């Protein structure tokens, strides 16, 4: 039996009844405890006491990141600080930080959600969970840590950074499940290879639980090849709960949402109307059990879709697809919408190039221009300019065929793109404020 199997395999009708019961309580709880929700619900005439169905929730107003920023630091807390045991914050690099609080029960739920993922990865108390997401206000480190503890596993709180030490521990301690961003997993793998190790033999990994940034199927395939393990995707966000809102199982056909704790909607980002299952749209999340900072209809700006049908693993919680990216990350290149992940998927399939890239956005003659800077694979020395030009041409053609727009390609020397121990920086916007 994997961790909380009975919940992840719950009969759908029972699960939906539980969700509805919790949803009814959640809207009333927010209304009664948080003035922001009272004002917002009243403003549009949404009566939380009258909610009878999931459809009724559609009349409730959205909560946005801006609302959460405006509420900094405590205005969206439902409980006195004495009942709040921990807080996390978004990095705030693009504005005021958002704050999320956790009661003791919230921490238990969070750990449970991540621990389910350890179970999805085939892990249990006999595993060694190596956590190299950053610890601190970022939710990655402590979320995975609580997951490891709740799963009963020996948990190594490495935090991010000091890559050589990570490698030493991975070699010597027998870490079997690694938790970090996919780009940091790649950095660790590449560094180990550069040090003359073979992570396939020298590490003892069976799975990785990776998230916090979008990563393509091809990037995943390259990671799995280097580390000889299964790389599973985990989704979460500071404003709702850290990692564990949704996690992939070994089928790798989408991320099971922890539906007993979250109600999700997929909406057309423009019309805000629900899209049918299988169609892409913006993920909107309502917390069903969160006590300290519950959210109603939080607009994540993340683009995904519900995967219709049942998962071969037998778990009943619905799946969302791996994220395309955020609406914020979407580039419009000559009228075509492009996400970095799509570019990554095309390019990281070429054996001559490594998995490190960055996309620079500039403006030329009133048109947005995207230039992909991508590193050459050190195993394929490009000593002749002719060879590089030919590779660039082939990459540009492959991108054009796939994306139906022009992306310029500049192949660069190995190790020239900045490595990240946390979230990778994929887009560098060099346009001036007026040009954006
Ligand atoms: O990134 C929480 C997290 C930590 C998730 C560790 C997974 C693993 P924030 O820093 O608040 O929280 O960023 C949240 O990151 O809205 C997505 O745009 C993006 N994101 C998170 N997970 C994924 C994923 C954490 N699996 C924002 N795939 C979210 C793609 C992801 N993007």
């Amino acid at each position: 039996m994997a961790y909380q199997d009975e919940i992840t395999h719950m009969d759908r009708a029972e699960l939906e009844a539980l969700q509805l019961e919790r949803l009814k309580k959640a809207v009333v709880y927010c209304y009664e405890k948080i003035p922001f929700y009272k004002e917002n619900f009243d403003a549009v005439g949404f009566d939380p006491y009258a909610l009878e169905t999931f459809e009724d929730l559609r009349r409730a107003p959205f909560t946005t990141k801006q609302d959460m920023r405006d509420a900094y630091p405590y205005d969206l807390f439902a409980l006195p600080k004495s009942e709040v045991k921990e807080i996390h914050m978004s990095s705030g690099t693009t504005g005021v930080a958002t704050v999320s609080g956790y009661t003791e029960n919230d921490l238990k739920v969070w750990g449970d959600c991540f621990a389910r993922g350890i179970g999805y990865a085939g892990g249990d108390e006999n595993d060694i969970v190596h956590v190299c997401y950053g610890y601190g206000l970022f939710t990655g480190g402590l979320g995975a840590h609580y997951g490891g503890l709740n799963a009963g596993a020996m948990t190594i709180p490495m935090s991010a950074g000091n890559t050589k030490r990570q490698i030493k521990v991975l070699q010597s301690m027998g870490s079997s499940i690694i938790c970090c961003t996919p780009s940091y997993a790649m950095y660790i793998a590449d560094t180990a290879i550069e040090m003359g190790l073979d992570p396939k033999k020298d590490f003892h990994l069976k799975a990785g639980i990776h998230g916090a940034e979008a990563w393509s199927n091809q990037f995943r395939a390259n990671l799995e090849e280097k580390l000889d393990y299964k790389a599973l995707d985990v989704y979460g966000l500071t404003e709702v709960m850290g990692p564990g809102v949704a996690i992939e199982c070994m089928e790798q056909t989408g991320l099971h949402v922890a539906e007993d704790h979250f109600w999700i909607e997929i909406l057309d980002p423009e019309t805000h109307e629900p899209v049918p299952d299988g169609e892409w749209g913006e993920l909107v999340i309502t917390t069903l059990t969160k006590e300290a900072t519950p959210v109603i209809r939080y607009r994540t700006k993340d683009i995904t879709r519900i995967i219709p049908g049942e998962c071969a693993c037998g778990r009943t919680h619905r799946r969302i697809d791996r994220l395309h990216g955020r609406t914020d990350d979407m580039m419009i290149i000559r009228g075509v919408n492009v996400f970095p992940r799509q570019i990554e998927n095309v390019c990281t399939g070429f054996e001559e190039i490594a998995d490190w890239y960055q996309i620079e956005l500039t403006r030329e003659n009133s048109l947005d221009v995207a230039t992909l800077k991508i590193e050459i694979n050190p195993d394929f020395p490009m000593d002749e300019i002719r060879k590089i030009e030919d590779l660039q041409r082939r990459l540009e053609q492959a991108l054009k065929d796939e994306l139906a727009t022009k992306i310029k390609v500049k192949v660069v020397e190995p190790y020239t793109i900045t490595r990240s121990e946390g979230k990778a920086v994929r887009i560098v916007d060099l346009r001036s404020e007026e040009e954006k």
Side-chain angles (χ1 to χ4, degrees):
M1 282 283 279
Y3 194 75
Q4 293 193 332
D5 249 357
E6 68 293 353
I7 298 176
T8 59
H9 288 77
M10 232 171 142
D11 171 73
R12 282 278 341 150
E14 258 177 59
L15 176 60
E16 282 169 25
L18 177 71
Q19 285 186 299
L20 189 56
E21 183 196 313
R22 289 182 168 175
L23 180 63
K24 286 181 187 173
K25 285 197 189 134
V27 285
V28 168
Y29 180 76
C30 286
Y31 186 79
E32 292 181 350
K33 302 268 187 184
I34 308 173
F36 166 86
Y37 284 106
K38 179 164 189 339
E39 275 163 37
N40 275 14
F41 288 3
D42 287 346
V44 297
F46 172 71
D47 177 2
Y49 302 97
L51 183 136
E52 288 300 331
T53 64
F54 295 118
E55 285 70 40
D56 289 343
L57 184 68
R58 290 202 204 125
R59 289 185 286 103
F62 295 117
T63 308
T64 63
K65 187 149 188 154
Q66 191 57 46
D67 293 328
M68 304 204 75
R69 286 184 176 140
D70 294 344
Y72 182 88
Y74 290 127
D75 285 356
L76 286 174
F77 279 57
L79 294 169
K81 289 169 207 79
S82 57
E83 292 192 46
V84 179
K85 300 297 162 218
E86 186 168 313
I87 58 151
H88 285 271
M89 277 190 218
S90 67
S91 58
T93 42
T94 50
V96 180
T98 55
V99 185
S100 161
Y102 297 79
T103 62
E104 201 166 327
N105 192 58
D106 291 336
L107 291 175
K108 158 97 175 66
V109 167
W110 187 15
D112 283 348
C113 288
F114 198 96
R116 290 177 195 174
I118 292 174
Y120 295 176
D124 56 24
E125 66 279 5
N126 299 310
D127 277 276
I128 300 178
V129 175
H130 182 112
V131 182
C132 43
Y133 286 114
Y135 281 61
L137 289 173
F138 176 55
T139 53
L142 283 163
H145 188 92
Y146 296 142
L149 297 188
N150 284 21
M154 186 171 109
T155 305
I156 312 184
M158 294 298 299
S159 195
N162 205 339
T163 306
K164 296 223 160 101
R165 186 156 76 160
Q166 304 276 359
I167 290 170
K168 181 132 213 264
V169 171
L170 283 161
Q171 267 183 285
S172 57
M173 302 286 295
S175 314
S176 55
I177 298 181
I178 184 168
C179 305
C180 59
T181 59
S183 51
Y184 194 45
M186 186 65 85
Y187 184 19
I188 292 175
D190 283 351
T191 308
I193 293 167
E194 209 191 310
M195 287 163 66
L197 300 172
D198 177 1
K200 286 196 188 97
K201 293 204 204 89
D202 296 320
F203 294 175
H204 318 275
L205 294 171
K206 69 178 182 204
I209 304 182
H210 304 304
E213 63 191 13
W215 46 311
S216 67
N217 290 334
Q218 186 59 52
F219 192 91
R220 158 150 67 195
N222 296 357
L223 254 185
E224 290 187 335
E225 157 59 28
K226 285 181 191 172
L227 291 172
D228 189 25
Y229 75 149
K230 276 269 202 186
L232 305 179
D233 201 340
V234 56
Y235 172 75
L237 61 168
T238 312
E239 296 79 12
V240 172
M241 189 184 81
V245 172
I247 312 188
E248 231 177 4
C249 65
M250 291 297 231
E251 299 295 326
Q252 297 181 315
T253 51
L255 293 76
H256 291 279
V257 176
E259 284 197 280
D260 49 330
H261 298 297
F262 306 100
W263 171 252
I264 58 160
E265 300 168 76
I266 308 281
L267 305 182
D268 181 316
E270 248 115 75
T271 64
H272 303 162
E273 286 301 314
V275 300
D277 285 2
E279 284 186 23
W280 295 87
E282 180 179 341
L283 176 66
V284 173
I285 305 178
T286 297
T287 56
L288 298 176
T289 55
K290 188 111 196 262
E291 295 176 340
T293 45
V295 287
I296 303 294
R297 303 196 88 199
Y298 181 68
R299 289 192 59 178
T300 66
K301 293 197 171 180
D302 289 320
I303 303 294
T304 183
R305 62 184 183 132
I306 289 185
I307 300 195
E310 285 161 23
C311 184
C313 75
R315 294 186 184 87
T316 51
H317 291 208
R318 286 183 302 170
R319 289 163 297 160
I320 52 170
D321 209 336
R322 302 184 66 215
L323 267 62
H324 258 191
R326 302 173 58 72
T327 47
D328 300 348
D329 290 342
M330 191 181 76
M331 301 171 285
I332 304 177
I333 315 290
R334 293 169 200 233
V336 178
N337 300 347
V338 179
F339 286 100
R341 202 194 108 156
Q342 292 172 287
I343 297 181
E344 177 184 291
N345 204 35
V346 174
C347 293
T348 49
F350 278 67
E351 58 177 1
E352 299 96 322
I353 56 156
D355 298 293
W356 298 101
Y357 69 95
Q358 233 163 25
I359 301 153
E360 276 182 6
L361 285 181
T362 48
R363 205 156 163 90
E364 287 169 24
N365 305 326
S366 22
L367 279 180
D368 284 336
V369 177
T371 307
L372 171 72
K373 289 169 95 178
I374 190 153
E375 280 182 14
I376 197 78
N377 181 339
D379 295 340
F380 286 80
M382 287 275 151
D383 32 23
E384 287 171 47
I385 192 84
R386 189 175 48 84
K387 278 205 233 160
I388 295 182
E389 281 171 358
D390 174 60
L391 175 62
Q392 287 176 170
R393 250 193 311 275
R394 283 186 288 126
L395 282 162
E396 282 179 0
Q397 190 57 49
L399 285 165
K400 192 158 190 200
D401 292 345
E402 182 66 25
L403 306 172
T405 189
K406 183 169 169 57
I407 313 278
K408 281 193 192 171
V409 176
K410 197 164 168 221
V411 172
V412 298
E413 293 288 320
Y415 315 114
T416 48
I417 307 243
T418 315
R419 292 345 188 208
S420 153
E421 292 158 0
K423 294 181 194 243
V425 179
R426 300 300 194 194
I427 302 180
V428 182
D429 196 340
L430 300 173
R431 296 169 302 174
S432 65
E433 274 316 309
E434 307 82 71
E435 286 172 341
K436 285 181 193 167

